[in-house]
Structures are given as C-alpha cells and as structure tokens.
Amino acid sequence: MAVKKNTRKIEAGIETDFGDKMSYSSYLALDDLLSAQHPVSRPVHHDEMLFIIQHQTSELWLKLVLHEMRAVRKALMVDDLRTAMKGIARIKHIQRSLTEQWSVLATLTPSEYAQFRGDLGSASGFQSAQYRAVEFLLGNKNAGMLKVFSSDPAAHAVLEELLGQSSVYDEFIRLLDRRGFQVPTQLLNRDFSKAHVFNDELVQLYRVIYENPSEHWDLYEACEELVDLEDNFQLWRFRHMKTVLRTIGMKTGTGGSSGVDFLQRALALTFFPELYAVRTEIGAVTP
C-alpha cells in the first residue's frame, strides 16, 4: 500500500518574494506588535508574559470597541438606526471575546502572581484610558477620573473631549424625540459632562414602545440591543472582579484602589437604567 506524504506542495501562484511587496507581517506591523512585551520582573517570571499579553489584547479590543461606538453615536445623530444597530451587534461580539479571555488570566494562581506583582509598582488596569473612554461614551461620566491621566496629555485630551460630548444613550434619547415621542426637555438640554440620572417619564415612554412593538419595531429592537450591550458590560465587570478575587483575594489593588470591593461597587453602576426599570411596568396590573 502506497504511503501518503503528510505534506502539501506550495501552489505555483503563491507569493514568496516580499522584497518590494507588502507582506502579512509588514501590513500588521508584527515586528512592533510582537516586540511590545517587556517583562519588568527580575529574574523574569514565566507568567508575566501571560499577564502582559492579556492586558495588551484587552486594550486592542477596547480600541475597536471605541472605533465602533463612535460610529454608533454618529449614526444615531443622523437617525441612521440600522447602521447604529449593526455597530452594536459587532460590539457585542467583541464584548464576548473580552469576557471569555478572563478565563485565560484565571489560570494565573495566587502564588504565581505574587512572584512578580510587586514589580508592577503602581501600574493598574484602573488607569486604562480606553476603558474610561468606553464608559464615557456609554454615559457613565465622572470628571474626577480625568486627574488619573494628568500625566498623559493625549489620553487626558481624549477623555476631556468625551466628557463634554453627548453619550450613545443621549443620542438615542434625542432620536426618540425626533421620532415624535415626548422626551422630557431636561434630558435634551442637559450638561453632558454629568452622568445620566434616572428619569421616570422616560420609563413611561419606553413602556409605550414595549407594549406596542409592532408599531415601533425598530425602536423596540434597539432598546433590546442596548440592554444586551449593558448586560455584556456588566458580565465583563463581574468576570473581572471574580478573576481578581481568585488571584489576589481581598488585597488592595496595585493602583491604590480597594481591589475587589471597588470592583464590586462598580457593578451597581448602570448606563441605561430606564430600560431595566420598564420591565417592572410591563404587564403590571393597575390597582
């Protein structure tokens, strides 16, 4: 019986000479990307590479989330709800990847992390400018966060700009107003540098949409997409908190926060409170 070779020939048309052509590596700047991991532990601890790549990967995904979220906000501003929802659909898939990768970091045991944690100094994920930018775009504004980036002019400028801009939720509410819904005036003409505050009138507006889905199908679907977005964000926060608890217990964070306690309190923050509150109203029996 003839023995089959476990190889395949390179097809004649496949490019092999990249002396003067763009290659996969040059297009993706892999020389820069793959040489951007610089462990600080001495001697270098094996597991620090995992720690660095985990966080660098998260930042790359956050960069894409911001890219898509800015486009979503822009689409909502011109009443292009379809494009906005397409963007949110993509963001939801990115969020899934961000959440699932916590399981990789969770393989870092407390004893392994303890061997290089002290070398991290005051560096902490709390200082992620892109994470704060995502929160600002979703409406969780906090001017006090800007001082964390006072030594990084570029990051500070981006966050300062986003702080004063309307959020994705603000623009969705404005779209509802242009659709003829009676949106409270204080929601349309507010200080965007402040976090959104719960409004019961908005709950009643959403109730109309939810109780009449066939009349407002695209808005009904958009409301659920926004809820998905927040659910995914909260799941990411939860997995973050549980991974930190698993790795360092109740220790203080490297950046000076209370660690797990700080992350637990973040779970109480919400972007679209009225979209959750309306669920209590649907089907409720009037006394």
Side-chain angles (χ1 to χ4, degrees):
M1 184 176 70
V3 177
K4 292 184 178 179
K5 294 182 179 180
N6 193 26
T7 58
R8 61 176 176 175
K9 292 182 178 180
I10 296 178
E11 296 174 355
I14 291 179
E15 295 282 356
T16 58
D17 184 1
F18 298 98
D20 60 353
K21 299 175 184 176
M22 181 185 293
S23 68
Y24 175 80
S25 178
S26 61
Y27 174 66
L28 296 177
L30 291 183
D31 285 346
D32 294 329
L33 185 65
L34 299 180
S35 61
Q37 295 73 47
H38 306 291
V40 297
S41 57
R42 294 294 181 271
V44 175
H45 190 278
H46 172 81
D47 295 306
E48 191 180 353
M49 185 63 73
L50 158 65
F51 193 80
I52 292 171
I53 290 177
Q54 169 88 22
H55 289 84
Q56 288 181 336
T57 304
S58 294
E59 289 296 329
L60 284 171
W61 282 127
L62 286 172
K63 183 173 183 177
L64 186 55
V65 168
L66 287 170
H67 177 70
E68 297 296 337
M69 201 167 286
R70 285 188 172 100
V72 166
R73 177 179 174 274
K74 186 176 180 180
L76 290 173
M77 293 175 74
V78 296
D79 297 333
D80 187 356
L81 193 57
R82 288 186 177 183
T83 297
M85 292 306 103
K86 175 62 170 65
I88 288 179
R90 179 173 292 170
I91 291 170
K92 285 162 55 178
H93 284 287
I94 301 168
Q95 288 178 307
R96 185 174 299 113
S97 292
L98 277 164
T99 299
E100 288 178 351
Q101 74 178 41
W102 283 119
S103 64
V104 182
L105 192 61
T107 65
L108 183 67
T109 68
S111 57
E112 290 167 344
Y113 186 35
Q115 293 180 57
F116 67 88
R117 185 175 186 249
D119 296 304
L120 302 180
S122 57
S124 167
F126 179 81
Q127 299 144 17
S128 170
Q130 291 195 122
Y131 174 82
R132 296 302 165 201
V134 170
E135 285 198 324
F136 281 13
L137 269 167
L138 287 175
N140 186 11
K141 304 290 185 69
N142 186 343
M145 289 293 179
L146 291 182
K147 61 184 178 182
V148 177
F149 306 95
S150 58
S151 61
D152 186 343
H156 188 280
V158 169
L159 290 172
E160 188 172 38
E161 181 181 17
L162 289 175
L163 183 70
Q165 289 182 353
S166 56
S167 68
V168 166
Y169 195 39
D170 288 320
E171 292 303 335
F172 181 63
I173 291 171
R174 286 178 159 190
L175 182 147
L176 293 175
D177 180 69
R178 293 192 295 273
R179 285 287 191 93
F181 288 90
Q182 298 301 307
V183 174
T185 303
Q186 64 267 33
L187 295 180
L188 301 173
N189 303 304
R190 72 180 195 86
D191 181 356
F192 293 130
S193 68
K194 307 294 184 183
H196 172 81
V197 177
F198 178 85
N199 185 286
D200 189 62
E201 291 180 67
L202 191 56
V203 176
Q204 301 311 313
L205 185 156
Y206 286 140
R207 182 172 183 172
V208 172
I209 293 173
Y210 272 88
E211 291 184 340
N212 301 277
S214 60
E215 297 176 31
H216 312 289
W217 184 260
D218 60 342
L219 297 176
Y220 173 72
E221 185 177 32
C223 287
E224 286 297 283
E225 289 291 317
L226 289 172
V227 171
D228 284 346
L229 194 64
E230 174 151 345
D231 274 359
N232 288 347
F233 201 94
Q234 293 288 41
L235 182 59
W236 183 91
R237 281 173 168 165
F238 179 77
R239 288 291 290 121
H240 181 195
M241 182 269 293
K242 296 298 287 186
T243 301
V244 171
L245 178 63
R246 175 174 179 153
T247 309
I248 66 168
M250 300 303 292
K251 292 185 184 73
T252 300
T254 50
S257 75
S258 56
V260 168
D261 181 63
F262 179 81
L263 297 175
Q264 285 177 325
R265 282 183 278 119
L267 290 170
L269 301 175
T270 181
F271 300 115
F272 321 127
E274 294 85 1
L275 285 172
Y276 286 87
V278 73
R279 282 149 168 75
T280 305
E281 302 291 326
I282 303 302
V285 178
T286 304

